[in-house]
Amino acid sequence: MTPRLFLFLILLLAPALRAQDETPPTEVAVQVAKVVRTTLRRTVTAYGITEPEPNSADRPPASAKLTSATAGIITEVYGVEGEQVKRGDILFRLDSRAVDAAVAKAEFAVAFAKENRARQHKLISIEGTSEKLMLESEQALHVAETDLATAKVQQSLLRGEAPLSGTLVHFTARLGESADTVTPLAEIVDLSRLVGTVHVPQREASSLHSGQAATINGVDAKVSYVSPQVDPLTDTVIVRLSPNSKGELEPGGFITARIVIEEHADKLAVPREAVYTDYDGKSTLSIVEGDTAKQKVVKVGLRDGNFIEVESAGISEGMTVVTVGSYALPEETQVRILEPVAGEDAK
């Protein structure tokens, strides 16, 4: 090649070489988010239903089913489904004609026995009767009063009285129909005393105890009971939760409960996709400063939903980190943010 031809080639390729030298460094398109300070929780999730609170040491159960105490024909009905009732309110009555007659007869016998005893008292004072007749009058009065009390008890059994205060959620007593001692005619529930009953797998139940914070369908609650017995058919444990506020639940409703078994308060956290963990277990995230992302080794902690706890020197609340696009980023690279920082308005 002649010197003139070589010089010609150099002049020809010079612009292309200069353009290659001026090519900007590669930019990686990423999405970002902020480092936040928050409280993270580890929870156990379980499913079940809402039901009335069962019997406890200091108060009776929150529900009761009412059956007739004796067989008979329903002649009066007072209960209305959905209404509030008080303990002792009469919800229905059975045919009481025979028992009413027995009460009237017993009352007459008591009145007669009292008059006879009074007469014997007067006669004994003037020695007009014997001690034996006096004792017999006392015994006759006692028997008559016992018969009257028995008749009144039988009379009371014909009234269906509410065993507790609450809402009459179910009522089937009908005029003219027969009642027996087996079929419930009414169900009353104290709706202010509902609990969530869930079934927790045995392997997770060991972390539960009374008093732990929880939620029932998003409503704040706490654990009130953890069964010591495991159901051998399902390998689960019954756990009951009491809501902190009343009137938030409905009986029989399906619920999702989340029980807090670990809590880390006032910790730094980032979206889970911001942290990359390699095969050696080293976790890193990329912090954005200007148009550059710099990789930082972090110690990860508790995971709560889409957030994960991070800890490392030099990381503080409000820093910007790469989320989408963080996988396998180099230690330092230029980035182009595709979307505004989460939580900030687009400019």
Side-chain angles (χ1 to χ4, degrees):
M1 178 181 299
T2 64
R4 180 175 295 182
L5 180 59
F6 179 76
L7 180 60
F8 175 76
L9 291 175
I10 291 297
L11 294 174
L12 183 64
L13 295 175
L17 293 174
R18 285 197 302 270
Q20 184 175 1
D21 292 338
E22 294 173 0
T23 301
T26 302
E27 288 183 337
V28 180
V30 297
Q31 294 179 8
V32 296
K34 292 287 190 181
V35 177
V36 298
R37 187 172 293 277
T38 186
T39 297
L40 298 103
R41 300 175 178 87
R42 184 161 67 93
T43 61
V44 169
T45 302
Y47 306 94
I49 61 171
T50 303
E51 62 183 10
E53 183 182 19
N55 185 54
S56 61
D58 56 347
R59 56 181 179 176
S63 67
K65 292 183 179 181
L66 176 63
T67 59
S68 177
T70 184
I73 302 299
I74 300 172
T75 57
E76 298 176 47
V77 173
Y78 306 103
V80 177
E81 285 185 340
E83 286 192 347
Q84 296 291 312
V85 297
K86 294 181 179 179
R87 182 177 181 180
D89 285 353
I90 297 175
L91 303 181
F92 61 86
R93 292 180 188 269
L94 302 184
D95 185 357
S96 62
R97 288 173 294 180
V99 176
D100 290 344
V103 170
K105 180 179 178 181
E107 289 175 339
F108 178 81
V110 168
F112 179 81
K114 285 181 177 179
E115 290 180 1
N116 184 46
R117 184 187 64 170
R119 185 165 59 87
Q120 292 297 325
H121 271 287
K122 290 180 181 180
L123 291 175
I124 197 72
S125 63
I126 60 174
E127 298 182 354
T129 186
S130 64
E131 189 71 25
K132 178 182 178 182
L133 291 176
M134 181 63 191
L135 292 175
E136 287 178 349
S137 68
E138 293 281 358
Q139 182 182 12
L141 176 59
H142 177 72
V143 170
E145 289 177 336
T146 301
D147 290 343
L148 176 59
T150 301
K152 287 186 175 181
V153 169
Q154 293 298 321
Q155 193 178 51
S156 69
L157 295 179
L158 300 176
R159 302 192 299 265
E161 298 180 359
L164 80 160
S165 299
T167 302
L168 188 59
V169 298
H170 195 56
F171 189 64
T172 59
R174 300 290 183 268
L175 284 174
E177 293 185 356
S178 61
D180 55 41
T181 59
V182 177
T183 307
L185 297 177
E187 182 177 3
I188 303 167
V189 177
D190 184 349
L191 298 180
S192 67
R193 294 175 54 201
L194 297 179
V195 298
T197 299
V198 296
H199 297 266
V200 179
Q202 180 187 9
R203 66 180 181 277
E204 297 178 326
S206 59
S207 302
L208 306 182
H209 57 80
S210 296
Q212 284 177 313
T215 59
I216 304 174
N217 290 352
V219 177
D220 289 339
K222 64 179 180 180
V223 175
S224 58
Y225 172 75
V226 179
S227 175
Q229 184 176 3
V230 179
D231 186 339
L233 297 179
T234 61
D235 194 35
T236 59
V237 171
I238 290 178
V239 177
R240 291 195 179 94
L241 307 102
S242 300
N244 295 342
S245 55
K246 307 302 180 183
E248 297 285 350
L249 304 176
E250 296 180 354
F254 181 78
I255 60 171
T256 300
R258 290 182 171 83
I259 305 168
V260 179
I261 60 175
E262 186 178 357
E263 181 175 281
H264 292 184
D266 196 31
K267 298 294 183 180
L268 296 177
V270 297
R272 295 178 65 172
E273 60 266 27
V275 177
Y276 170 67
T277 303
D278 61 20
Y279 290 106
D280 296 326
K282 184 177 74 173
S283 297
T284 58
L285 54 78
S286 296
I287 299 174
V288 178
E289 297 176 354
D291 61 352
T292 303
K294 297 180 180 180
Q295 198 175 87
K296 188 81 170 177
V297 177
V298 295
K299 178 182 177 182
V300 298
L302 203 60
R303 297 186 179 186
D304 185 355
N306 189 48
F307 281 89
I308 184 170
E309 177 186 350
V310 293
E311 181 181 349
S312 180
I315 295 181
S316 60
E317 181 182 3
M319 282 185 168
T320 302
V321 295
V322 177
T323 55
V324 178
S326 65
Y327 177 77
L329 280 180
E331 292 187 3
E332 184 173 340
T333 185
Q334 287 190 345
V335 294
R336 178 168 51 88
I337 299 174
L338 294 178
E339 295 181 358
V341 175
E344 293 187 359
D345 295 332
K347 296 181 180 179

